[in-house]
Amino acid sequence: MDVKSRNYLLMNRQALENDIKTSYIMDHMISDEVLTLQEEERVKQQNTQKERAATLINIILTKDNNSYRSFYNALLHEGYRDLAALLQDGIPAVSSGNRKSSMDGMTSYVKTILCEGGVPQRPVVFVTRPKLVDAIKKKLYCLGSDPGWVTVYGMAGCGKTVLTAEALRDAQLLEDYFPGGVHWISVGKQDKAGLLIKLQNLCSRLEHDSTLSQRPLNIEEAKDRLRLLMLRKYPRSLLVLDDIWDSWVLKAFDNQCQVLITSRDRSVTDAVAGKKYEVHVESGLAHEKGLEILSLFVNMKISELPEQANSLVRECKGSPLVISLIGALLRDFPSRWEYYLRQLQNKQFKRIRKSSSYDYEALDEAMSISVEQLDDNYKDYYKDLSILPKDVKVPTKVLCILWDMETEEVEDILQEFVNKSLLFCDRNGKSFHYYLHDLQLDFLTEKNRNQLQELHKNIVNQYKKYYKLNTPVLSQEDCMYWYNFLAYHMAGAKMQQELRDLMFSLDWIKAKTELVGPAHLIHEYVEYSSILDQKDSTVRENFQEFLSLNGHLLGRQPFPDIIQLGLCQPEASEVYQQAKLHAQRQTGTFYLEWINKKSLKNLYRLVVRPHRDAVYHACFSKDRQRIASCGADKTLQVFKAESGERLLEINAHDDEILCCAFSADGEFVATCSTDKKVKVWNSRTGQCKCVYEEHSEQVNCCQFNNKSGQYLLATCSNDTYIKIWDLNKKYCRNTMMGHDNSVNHCRFSPNDEFVASCSTDGTVKFWEARSGNELKSIEIKDFFKNADEQPDDVEVLVKCCSWSGNGEMILVVAKNKLLLFDIETCGLITQVIVSHHSTIQYGDFCPGDELVAVALSHCSVELWNIESSSKVAYCRGHTSWVHCVTFSPDGSLFLTSSDDQTIRIWETKKVCKSSDAVLKSELDVVFHNGEVMILAIYNQKNLQLISGNTDNVIMQTAAQESPISCCCLSEDLKFAAFGLDSGTIKVLQLSDGKVLNSWEAYRTSVQHCRFTPDCQTLVLSARDSVMQVWNWQLNECVFLRGHKEEIKDFRLLENSKILSWSFDGTVKVWNITTGNPEKDFTCHGGAVLSCAVSPDGTKFSSASADKTAKIWSFESSSVLHELKDHEACVRCCTFSPNNKLLATGDDKGEIRIWDVLTGALLHFCSPVTVDEGEPTHGGWVTDLSFSPDSKMLVSSGGYLKWWNVITGESLQTFYTNGTNLKSIHVSPNFSVYVTVDSLGILYVLQKF
């Protein structure tokens, strides 16, 4: 150190020792790399403040000139300006001779320039933000050698000062553009006297070697002095004015030099002339950067931070200031993580007090002072922003309504806030959208807490005044804001009745769900339940359940009729009552009442449709609050388990995603795909943390370990390997080799010590997680034996496994069996054959260890008690293949995901109390004197006679020896007949259920049976080319032989004749009495799938797999018209009662209406495509029926639709719970409709 500098330190030592606090001064010196951590520790070990100061000065005296400069600069920045002035004349000069002697010399030179210029040191904890630093440099380059202004602006605490100082640490920038040095002055909020002092100090600093000693006496004199100094002594230097508040202050520095300013007010340079450039400092740090800052403050690795760290960073809203304040506090008080998190969550900003070199005593002061600078007439407008929702960009129109002003007036007010970094503006095309940073909003809500209710009430009243009884329409820019946040404002205003009127209105529900879907509404029912339920929770529960169970329908296009959906609710439901009133008022609209809906009990809590294709996997987070799902559309979705509200959507992979899994703490979600990659995502931000590409084939499964803190991920692949990845170290920790074929599934044991894997090679293997060594292997194939007790030759693909809660047992799923093994001995504890007709796709152990949920290949899900080997419940709801079933961590819920694009969340207790009664789709209906009598096959082997009017079961048979395949009623309702899979046909008496006769008619399943009008004879067909006419009273049978292939179906004609059609492409007319064919029609090159007879009996139509339909004359036995317009198999056809029209339906879901006389196509009943090309009927059109006046048509398929025959337009759609409706039975007056869906649910519908 220079002798002069050393003498100044010794001369002023006593003053320094008496006044300085060493803690933050040492922070600056450490960041300047002139003080070591060991030296800092030596200072801290001293007992008193004075002893610590003395030790620090002793250490500085042993060092070089840079230490002196760093100490001087630290005094300035920590507020010891008087003490710094004592040392100012002792600052050592920069030696120009060694500027470029070496890289170290260059670094030393830069440090010296910045120290002399008063540029702040790096904070003790510094995290680089290179994009913003480069942006500041680029604007400084733009100045060149010309005078001008660079403004670095942004909200309080966004890092303007630190970033500006960092930009100036560029040696090349200083050498080439500012060889005269950098002169930094912290201005802040000043009056004229304060500004004069700042100018005097700056002039003194710049002219300390000058003979001029008298300080300037006023601002004008100081301005002139500064201009001369900059022009003559410091040409090509940069003047930095930090923290400028007022534009009048800049006039004192407007002297044709190069100036960089930092400010919250973007417009602050409007009052000065010259070139102007701007750099906007974004308000938020990335989550990972925030964690990095915290970890550096507390001297821990990111992976070692406590679980509160993530929440703390989120609550800091990305503000560098707040994160640094919290970090510095935690460094001093390392046990206060929970305390400071709570203060932030409760908006207790005064508790987050000064703990660094920041200029304000507490966080709230930093924000408050910005607001106080506003003119009084603007403060009230800014206060109105206190009620804006977080993370929402608000269109100008909303604030025009709030303030009852023209757009231009509102934009002028808001621009004032934007200029002062109190508000942010997003210019999206022509419209402007405004938003507050979360910290600003938190500050406002805390400051105006006692006025929030009135502020909310004001915006609601302004909305009502503007829109009156109308609702916003999509063409208005404010439309989406009101649909998303009107309820939020009503709740904030505690306007209970207005909120109930809004949330319990089907008109509002219809309008909102059409625009944003149902999930947000469900969320609002949950969020505002305390307000909505003040009188009674029933109504809110009615509406919440309605949306939860029908949301997957409301999310599709075209939008379903919400009134019709409401009419399907229980009659006691407020939703039903409102729908009924709407239906009564809308007299011209076609609505249907579901008469027998009381028999249906919904077992699920929520149905969501987050994907556009099959859903392969879904899982709960450990806290049960979120669900992650993935599938064939290549996306990862994360949504709320309560409402289905989407939290995250990520286009995660280049191919189908097969599995996803939450980490134990819920911070990450892993995905694996057929693209051979494994990816890990931040579950809240969607940021990709890492990508693993070591598998060489598709990756089938991924699962995190069960304990928080250590992030281990197990994956398995078709490449036969299982891998364990350590997220903290970003590498594969172990690769487990031992399987001979694809590995389908893997799971950590509950204590994370072991990993189980299931393979197509027929084995389950157990591995030690730490070493990757194989411990045990079970040959699952040994448990599948044929009749000779030999291993089955069929490949045993082991689908999945699930550990018991205590880790002592493991459940294995293979083919149609559940196998439970003891881990210690590998011995089989029990096995359950779940089904003889289906394979198990997936299985999961309930955390209680007794229940097992299994997904079966016929679209159903079952719950089994593994201890008693008994089926507990049957869950129907999905309409296609179910891929996954997973329990929540507490076992109270389980979810299922399916090819039908839905995820269903079920309540375990409710499901366990349900029955599994199911009807087959084959049924017969007789409409008689206003009564609807239904003969249905119940649970495969029973026959039921049901009153459609009351839903009462009138008669039920005992279980038959073989499953029942078909049934029919006699017209007089005295008899019923039913065929069995065994080929037997039986006739019973309905009055007492007594079997009157039986006939072993076929060796294959009986497909169809019908009584003749006299009820004494039955006509039968099977999977056979021969029909039988059986007089069951006389026990005589006539065989009708002539078809060459299986008969598809038949129809009774007048005069003891039958029309039959077959897969051989022919249609025949038979005489029942003789058994001889009277007419033979070779109709089609493909199978004939349906025939219809015209009401006048002169014609019939045939529909075929060859994509054509034909109209035939009975009399001439010739084809009258060939109808060729279909693009798929024509599956059904029917004539209109007036003989003028023929309707045909095909497997593409399309219906065509033809003119019978000319064969011309009159109407194409357009299947307005549903999402991604799903046809109107969700598949085939299976049945058609005209109204008596020939003006309406009803069709069945994936659901039921009613059509206007004259226009071809859809009148109504009735969405059944299941799909694949095989037929529709219609009453003669076209007012009652009966069908059964694929779930076995019976629908008796009546025209409203």
Side-chain angles (χ1 to χ4, degrees):
M1 184 182 295
D2 290 352
V3 173
K4 179 181 176 184
S5 301
R6 183 181 179 83
N7 288 339
Y8 266 87
L9 260 180
L10 293 170
M11 186 169 52
N12 297 293
R13 178 172 187 149
Q14 186 174 356
L16 292 167
E17 290 178 358
N18 287 334
D19 287 353
I20 65 172
K21 295 180 182 178
T22 56
S23 177
Y24 299 119
I25 289 174
M26 290 194 293
D27 284 348
H28 286 284
M29 297 182 73
I30 289 169
S31 69
D32 279 346
E33 300 176 5
V34 298
L35 193 72
T36 67
L37 292 173
Q38 290 79 12
E39 288 167 336
E40 180 193 35
E41 195 59 36
R42 211 167 88 209
V43 173
K44 284 183 175 181
Q45 287 173 356
Q46 305 308 310
N47 294 324
T48 66
Q49 176 183 316
K50 187 171 184 179
E51 288 173 350
R52 287 192 287 274
T55 304
L56 177 61
I57 292 168
N58 287 335
I59 292 171
I60 296 171
L61 287 168
T62 66
K63 294 182 176 286
D64 60 10
N65 291 338
N66 283 331
S67 301
Y68 188 96
R69 294 189 190 98
S70 178
F71 181 56
Y72 168 78
N73 224 8
L75 290 173
L76 278 178
H77 279 275
E78 283 302 317
Y80 300 106
R81 289 178 171 80
D82 294 339
L83 293 176
L86 297 175
L87 301 182
Q88 182 174 318
D89 291 340
I91 297 174
V94 179
S95 171
S96 58
N98 61 358
R99 275 187 178 186
K100 298 184 180 179
S101 60
S102 67
M103 185 59 71
D104 290 338
M106 176 74 78
T107 303
S108 175
Y109 161 69
V110 170
K111 283 185 179 180
T112 302
I113 291 294
L114 298 184
C115 282
E116 287 188 340
V119 177
Q121 297 96 336
R122 278 179 179 163
V124 178
V125 171
F126 174 74
V127 175
T128 181
R129 296 162 79 184
K131 287 185 179 179
L132 285 168
V133 171
D134 288 345
I136 295 170
K137 289 183 194 176
K138 285 177 183 176
K139 297 304 180 185
L140 289 171
Y141 294 148
C142 290
L143 288 175
S145 57
D146 299 325
W149 308 80
V150 174
T151 304
V152 180
Y153 70 96
M155 66 173 282
C158 66
K160 303 181 290 294
T161 300
V162 172
L163 290 166
T164 299
E166 188 63 23
L168 297 176
R169 291 190 177 90
D170 185 316
Q172 200 66 45
L173 176 71
L174 297 180
E175 288 272 326
D176 295 346
Y177 288 86
F178 307 113
V182 176
H183 312 291
W184 186 294
I185 176 170
S186 296
V187 181
K189 182 66 182 167
Q190 299 292 342
D191 56 14
K192 289 189 176 181
L195 178 62
L196 178 59
I197 293 172
K198 292 282 183 184
L199 285 165
Q200 289 172 340
N201 288 340
L202 178 61
C203 290
S204 297
R205 192 202 309 173
L206 294 177
E207 61 187 6
H208 62 82
D209 287 336
S210 173
T211 56
L212 295 172
S213 57
Q214 184 179 353
R215 289 192 165 201
L217 301 176
N218 55 54
I219 291 176
E220 283 301 316
E221 187 179 335
K223 180 179 177 180
D224 288 339
R225 180 83 57 85
L226 181 62
R227 179 174 57 81
L228 290 171
L229 285 168
M230 297 297 287
L231 180 66
R232 297 175 181 175
K233 194 170 184 180
Y234 299 99
R236 296 191 67 198
S237 64
L238 178 68
L239 181 60
V240 182
L241 307 177
D242 187 29
D243 198 21
I244 294 292
W245 284 81
D246 300 296
S247 57
W248 66 266
V249 170
L250 288 187
K251 292 181 180 179
F253 300 92
D254 188 7
N255 49 27
Q256 295 296 303
C257 62
Q258 295 179 315
V259 184
L260 184 152
I261 66 172
T262 71
S263 178
R264 306 179 193 188
D265 189 346
R266 179 186 182 185
S267 62
V268 76
T269 57
D270 289 351
V272 294
K275 288 183 180 179
K276 297 172 187 175
Y277 303 96
E278 292 179 346
V279 178
H280 179 217
V281 178
E282 296 291 341
S283 53
L285 284 173
H287 189 82
E288 294 298 323
K289 288 282 186 186
L291 287 175
E292 186 181 344
I293 290 175
L294 275 186
S295 69
L296 290 169
F297 264 111
V298 298
N299 196 26
M300 297 169 69
K301 295 179 181 177
I302 292 179
S303 60
E304 296 170 350
L305 291 173
E307 58 184 22
Q308 293 96 334
N310 281 298
S311 300
L312 262 173
V313 171
R314 278 195 293 274
E315 288 297 329
C316 290
K317 319 299 182 188
S319 166
L321 164 66
V322 186
I323 295 172
S324 297
L325 287 176
I326 295 292
L329 288 166
L330 287 168
R331 180 185 57 192
D332 295 336
F333 304 102
S335 63
R336 291 189 180 179
W337 289 86
E338 189 64 40
Y339 172 76
Y340 290 125
L341 174 59
R342 195 163 61 248
Q343 301 313 314
L344 280 174
Q345 289 171 334
N346 295 332
K347 316 294 184 286
Q348 297 295 320
F349 300 121
K350 287 183 173 62
R351 304 282 180 88
I352 314 299
R353 301 202 61 80
K354 179 178 179 180
S355 166
S356 73
S357 60
Y358 197 57
D359 292 340
Y360 306 100
E361 282 300 315
L363 180 57
D364 65 327
E365 183 188 340
M367 292 184 280
S368 179
I369 198 166
S370 296
V371 179
E372 292 305 314
Q373 291 305 305
L374 292 171
D375 293 340
D376 288 342
N377 58 326
Y378 281 101
K379 287 178 182 176
D380 283 340
Y381 291 127
Y382 196 66
K383 180 171 69 177
D384 286 341
L385 305 184
S386 305
I387 56 168
L388 295 185
K390 282 190 176 182
D391 303 317
V392 174
K393 296 179 180 179
V394 181
T396 311
K397 178 76 178 293
V398 171
L399 298 165
C400 290
I401 292 171
L402 173 61
W403 293 332
D404 198 12
M405 289 182 180
E406 295 293 327
T407 302
E408 291 76 13
E409 293 178 275
V410 170
E411 288 176 349
D412 288 345
I413 293 170
L414 297 176
Q415 190 58 43
E416 182 73 14
F417 301 151
V418 171
N419 286 340
K420 294 187 175 352
S421 298
L422 291 170
L423 188 69
F424 298 91
C425 179
D426 181 15
R427 289 172 169 79
N428 182 13
K430 294 182 180 178
S431 63
F432 290 2
H433 287 70
Y434 299 90
Y435 61 100
L436 289 162
H437 187 275
D438 282 359
L439 282 173
Q440 292 170 327
L441 191 54
D442 287 344
F443 166 74
L444 276 177
T445 53
E446 182 64 24
K447 181 181 179 183
N448 303 307
R449 178 171 295 281
N450 296 330
Q451 301 174 63
L452 292 179
Q453 184 174 339
E454 280 304 311
L455 293 172
H456 279 292
K457 191 172 184 178
N458 182 43
I459 194 171
V460 173
N461 289 334
Q462 288 297 101
Y463 166 86
K464 290 164 71 176
K465 175 184 173 184
Y466 184 85
Y467 280 106
K468 299 181 173 64
L469 297 176
N470 301 314
T471 52
V473 295
L474 191 56
S475 58
Q476 297 166 312
E477 67 166 316
D478 61 324
C479 165
M480 295 304 293
Y481 180 87
W482 298 118
Y483 279 119
N484 279 312
F485 301 111
L486 182 56
Y488 158 76
H489 289 303
M490 286 181 173
K494 293 184 169 56
M495 301 170 79
Q496 183 195 8
Q497 192 55 50
E498 288 88 345
L499 184 62
R500 287 173 65 91
D501 291 344
L502 183 78
M503 299 287 288
F504 300 155
S505 161
L506 280 179
D507 289 332
W508 177 258
I509 291 171
K510 178 180 186 296
K512 179 162 179 170
T513 50
E514 279 193 31
L515 291 175
V516 300
H520 190 258
L521 255 174
I522 298 170
H523 166 74
E524 288 178 329
Y525 286 122
V526 176
E527 184 78 11
Y528 309 134
S529 59
S530 59
I531 301 173
L532 296 169
D533 293 352
Q534 280 184 12
K535 291 182 180 178
D536 182 12
S537 66
T538 306
V539 176
R540 192 261 308 164
E541 289 168 355
N542 289 164
F543 278 89
Q544 186 176 329
E545 182 179 78
F546 170 63
L547 285 173
S548 296
L549 303 184
N550 292 283
H552 61 300
L553 298 176
L554 295 172
R556 65 170 56 190
Q557 296 295 331
F559 194 81
D561 189 322
I562 200 163
I563 308 303
Q564 182 58 67
L565 290 176
L567 287 171
C568 295
Q569 297 304 294
E571 291 185 8
S573 166
E574 180 65 24
V575 180
Y576 171 80
Q577 296 299 330
Q578 273 201 42
K580 186 177 180 180
L581 287 173
H582 276 77
Q584 288 169 343
R585 287 199 297 263
Q586 299 177 22
T587 53
T589 309
F590 187 87
Y591 288 114
L592 297 140
E593 185 87 76
W594 185 2
I595 298 173
N596 67 320
K597 61 189 171 191
K598 292 179 184 175
S599 61
L600 183 68
K601 294 179 181 177
N602 285 310
L603 304 179
Y604 31 85
R605 171 185 285 191
L606 180 68
V607 184
V608 291
R609 195 168 177 239
H611 294 271
R612 297 175 295 277
D613 208 332
V615 189
Y616 291 149
H617 196 83
C619 59
F620 287 96
S621 60
K622 195 169 185 179
D623 62 6
R624 217 190 71 177
Q625 298 301 306
R626 294 176 294 159
I627 292 172
S629 64
C630 60
D633 65 359
K634 309 173 191 176
T635 68
L636 168 68
Q637 308 281 347
V638 180
F639 55 90
K640 291 182 180 178
E642 184 75 38
S643 65
E645 187 175 9
R646 180 174 291 156
L647 300 172
L648 209 58
E649 179 178 16
I650 305 171
N651 293 313
H653 286 266
D654 301 324
D655 211 332
E656 296 182 337
I657 306 175
L658 303 180
C659 187
C660 57
F662 274 107
S663 60
D665 59 5
E667 285 301 311
F668 300 106
V669 179
T671 55
C672 59
S673 166
T674 53
D675 66 7
K676 308 174 189 177
K677 296 175 185 175
V678 177
K679 298 185 180 183
V680 179
W681 311 86
N682 184 304
S683 71
R684 302 185 189 278
T685 66
Q687 182 182 2
C688 186
K689 178 177 173 63
C690 43
V691 181
Y692 301 128
E693 300 186 61
E694 290 188 25
H695 283 294
S696 58
E697 294 190 42
Q698 78 173 33
V699 189
N700 297 312
C701 181
C702 56
Q703 196 221 358
F704 278 102
N705 63 319
N706 298 298
K707 295 178 182 176
S708 298
Q710 184 182 23
Y711 296 111
L712 296 180
L713 179 69
T715 61
C716 59
S717 164
N718 280 3
D719 62 11
T720 74
Y721 300 142
I722 304 104
K723 291 179 180 286
I724 294 183
W725 313 84
D726 188 328
L727 266 62
N728 293 328
K729 299 179 180 176
K730 298 188 178 181
Y731 65 85
C732 177
R733 197 167 92 167
N734 286 314
T735 298
M736 303 166 184
M737 297 174 281
H739 284 292
D740 299 327
N741 210 327
S742 303
V743 188
N744 305 310
H745 199 254
C746 57
R747 280 288 180 267
F748 277 98
S749 62
N751 62 7
D752 293 333
E753 291 183 9
F754 309 108
V755 174
S757 60
C758 306
S759 171
T760 305
D761 65 11
T763 65
V764 173
K765 291 183 183 290
F766 301 95
W767 316 79
E768 188 177 53
R770 182 178 295 276
S771 66
N773 294 330
E774 181 179 336
L775 300 175
K776 300 174 183 178
S777 181
I778 303 175
E779 290 284 344
I780 302 299
K781 190 171 183 179
D782 292 345
F783 299 93
F784 289 85
K785 309 269 182 148
N786 58 26
D788 300 324
E789 290 298 310
Q790 296 299 314
D792 201 324
D793 291 334
V794 179
E795 180 182 61
V796 176
L797 188 154
V798 186
K799 283 287 182 70
C800 63
C801 60
S802 182
W803 292 82
S804 63
N806 59 14
E808 295 176 359
M809 299 179 290
I810 193 163
L811 179 78
V812 177
V813 170
K815 295 177 74 171
N816 63 342
K817 285 185 181 181
L818 297 174
L819 302 108
L820 187 64
F821 292 96
D822 181 276
I823 296 296
E824 186 68 30
T825 66
C826 291
L828 180 67
I829 299 172
T830 186
Q831 63 175 313
V832 179
I833 299 175
V834 171
S835 172
H836 290 285
H837 307 287
S838 304
T839 57
I840 306 174
Q841 301 305 308
Y842 204 90
D844 193 35
F845 237 140
C846 182
D849 287 350
E850 289 183 4
L851 282 182
V852 174
V854 293
L856 299 171
S857 57
H858 60 254
C859 314
S860 67
V861 174
E862 294 178 356
L863 293 188
W864 285 74
N865 185 310
I866 195 68
E867 290 185 359
S868 62
S869 299
S870 60
K871 183 163 70 171
V872 175
Y874 171 83
C875 311
R876 56 185 180 178
H878 284 293
T879 58
S880 190
W881 200 281
V882 181
H883 290 283
C884 168
V885 54
T886 309
F887 280 100
S888 62
D890 63 359
S892 63
L893 303 174
F894 64 94
L895 61 78
T896 53
S897 61
S898 167
D899 269 354
D900 65 13
Q901 303 178 17
T902 68
I903 296 168
R904 293 173 188 257
I905 294 95
W906 310 73
E907 294 186 51
T908 309
K909 284 184 179 179
K910 190 185 285 188
V911 169
C912 289
K913 294 176 183 176
S914 67
S915 63
D916 59 353
V918 176
L919 301 182
K920 286 187 70 172
S921 56
E922 291 77 15
L923 76 163
D924 196 17
V925 182
V926 172
F927 301 96
H928 182 70
N929 295 332
E931 289 285 322
V932 182
M933 303 303 293
I934 303 162
L935 189 67
I937 303 165
Y938 168 79
N939 280 1
Q940 299 286 331
K941 293 188 176 183
N942 301 84
L943 200 65
Q944 283 187 344
L945 182 65
I946 303 168
S947 168
N949 304 72
T950 64
D951 201 34
N952 292 331
V953 177
I954 299 169
M955 182 274 300
Q956 179 174 318
T957 68
Q960 302 299 307
E961 66 275 12
S962 173
I964 302 172
S965 53
C966 63
C967 61
C968 66
L969 283 167
S970 64
E971 287 295 325
D972 59 8
L973 293 176
K974 291 183 179 180
F975 309 109
F978 56 94
L980 305 180
D981 278 357
S982 62
T984 300
I985 184 80
K986 295 185 180 183
V987 180
L988 58 82
Q989 191 165 268
L990 290 175
S991 59
D992 57 8
K994 180 182 177 183
V995 175
L996 301 176
N997 204 350
S998 66
W999 172 256
E1000 294 183 7
Y1002 294 97
R1003 293 181 179 177
T1004 61
S1005 172
V1006 182
Q1007 293 296 294
H1008 302 283
C1009 60
R1010 289 188 184 92
F1011 282 99
T1012 55
D1014 62 7
C1015 304
Q1016 296 181 11
T1017 304
L1018 276 168
V1019 182
L1020 317 171
S1021 69
R1023 297 191 184 279
D1024 195 298
S1025 61
V1026 178
M1027 286 194 300
Q1028 296 185 25
V1029 181
W1030 176 45
N1031 187 316
W1032 59 272
Q1033 291 186 336
L1034 301 176
N1035 220 25
E1036 295 176 350
C1037 188
V1038 175
F1039 296 90
L1040 310 182
R1041 305 179 192 276
H1043 286 294
K1044 295 177 181 176
E1045 292 185 36
E1046 180 184 326
I1047 294 166
K1048 179 69 173 69
D1049 205 347
F1050 61 86
R1051 179 173 179 149
L1052 297 173
L1053 304 176
E1054 295 179 354
N1055 303 322
S1056 301
K1057 296 200 172 43
I1058 296 174
L1059 183 76
S1060 66
W1061 52 96
S1062 166
F1063 286 94
D1064 62 12
T1066 66
V1067 175
K1068 297 181 185 293
V1069 178
W1070 305 84
N1071 184 306
I1072 294 178
T1073 309
T1074 65
N1076 295 324
E1078 294 191 350
K1079 290 186 180 291
D1080 197 341
F1081 300 86
T1082 303
C1083 295
H1084 295 274
V1088 180
L1089 302 178
S1090 176
C1091 284
V1093 178
S1094 63
D1096 62 11
T1098 63
K1099 295 177 279 292
F1100 76 91
S1101 60
S1102 59
S1104 172
D1106 66 8
K1107 304 180 185 179
T1108 67
K1110 295 180 181 180
I1111 301 175
W1112 300 82
S1113 166
F1114 276 121
E1115 185 178 350
S1116 65
S1117 299
S1118 60
V1119 64
L1120 300 176
H1121 303 290
E1122 185 173 4
L1123 315 174
K1124 292 183 174 181
D1125 203 46
H1126 283 282
E1127 298 175 2
C1129 295
V1130 186
R1131 191 154 295 274
C1132 57
C1133 55
T1134 189
F1135 283 94
S1136 63
N1138 64 9
N1139 288 294
K1140 293 181 179 180
L1141 306 173
L1142 177 73
T1144 54
D1146 66 23
D1147 286 2
K1148 198 178 176 184
E1150 297 175 351
I1151 298 167
R1152 287 166 172 76
I1153 299 175
W1154 313 83
D1155 186 307
V1156 172
L1157 185 62
T1158 64
L1161 176 64
L1162 300 177
H1163 293 295
F1164 170 60
C1165 293
S1166 172
V1168 179
T1169 53
V1170 185
D1171 304 336
E1172 283 74 51
E1174 180 188 338
T1176 305
H1177 269 298
W1180 302 346
V1181 181
T1182 56
D1183 203 0
L1184 296 161
S1185 183
F1186 278 98
S1187 62
D1189 62 4
S1190 303
K1191 292 181 179 179
M1192 289 178 66
L1193 179 73
V1194 61
S1195 58
S1196 64
Y1199 27 86
L1200 299 175
K1201 286 188 78 73
W1202 285 258
W1203 307 86
N1204 183 319
V1205 172
I1206 297 170
T1207 63
E1209 294 176 351
S1210 173
L1211 297 173
Q1212 188 55 270
T1213 302
F1214 186 92
Y1215 291 98
T1216 50
N1217 287 267
T1219 184
N1220 297 338
L1221 312 176
K1222 288 191 176 180
S1223 62
I1224 175 79
H1225 297 263
V1226 184
S1227 65
N1229 63 0
F1230 207 69
S1231 64
V1232 180
Y1233 314 87
V1234 182
T1235 190
V1236 172
D1237 67 15
S1238 59
L1239 303 178
I1241 299 170
L1242 175 68
Y1243 299 87
V1244 182
L1245 310 177
Q1246 186 165 19
K1247 184 178 176 183
F1248 192 85

